[in-house]
Amino acid sequence: GILSDNANTLRLTHGVCELLPYSDASMDAVISCLTLCSVQDAARSVREIFRVLKPGGTFLFWEHVLSEDNLSLAALQVKRSKTFGCSLDRRTLLTIQSAAP
């Protein structure tokens, strides 16, 4: 979405994360909730997010990821994630850090 000049207004827009319909450096903030596990190309999506962010803009994300220290939980997560189209085995934080300017 786009915050207007009036800080109390938010516009939400449906789009594809790998090809955001916004100009370069046009967003004050981007919020991603449980998205990067299910997009086709997480690296491209994150590059798009940083492309549309203004310099000094904020990227807030909340993602679910595969447990790295509990193998039983990880196996259950993989089994259930297939039902919802999630790829929990992605290295989401590393993908974000690699794309950050």
Side-chain angles (χ1 to χ4, degrees):
I2 300 175
L3 284 175
S4 72
D5 290 336
N6 178 350
N8 295 320
T9 302
L10 176 69
R11 184 180 77 173
L12 299 176
T13 306
H14 180 76
V16 176
C17 196
E18 292 93 343
L19 189 60
L20 296 173
Y22 305 113
S23 301
D24 294 356
S26 60
M27 299 288 154
D28 294 313
V30 174
I31 301 171
S32 173
C33 296
L34 306 174
T35 301
L36 296 174
C37 67
S38 59
V39 296
Q40 295 231 346
D41 187 336
R44 182 173 176 190
S45 297
V46 174
R47 286 192 305 272
E48 275 291 280
I49 288 168
F50 285 113
R51 178 188 67 77
V52 301
L53 274 176
K54 291 179 181 176
T58 301
F59 176 34
L60 300 173
F61 59 93
W62 177 46
E63 297 290 335
H64 50 277
V65 295
L66 192 64
S67 176
E68 294 182 359
D69 58 0
N70 184 326
L71 295 179
S72 297
L73 175 58
L76 180 61
Q77 287 177 299
V78 168
K79 182 178 179 181
R80 290 196 174 164
S81 69
K82 301 294 182 199
T83 303
F84 301 106
C86 298
S87 297
L88 297 182
D89 57 343
R90 293 180 178 174
R91 307 293 297 183
T92 303
L93 183 58
L94 181 61
T95 299
I96 294 169
Q97 290 170 329
S98 296

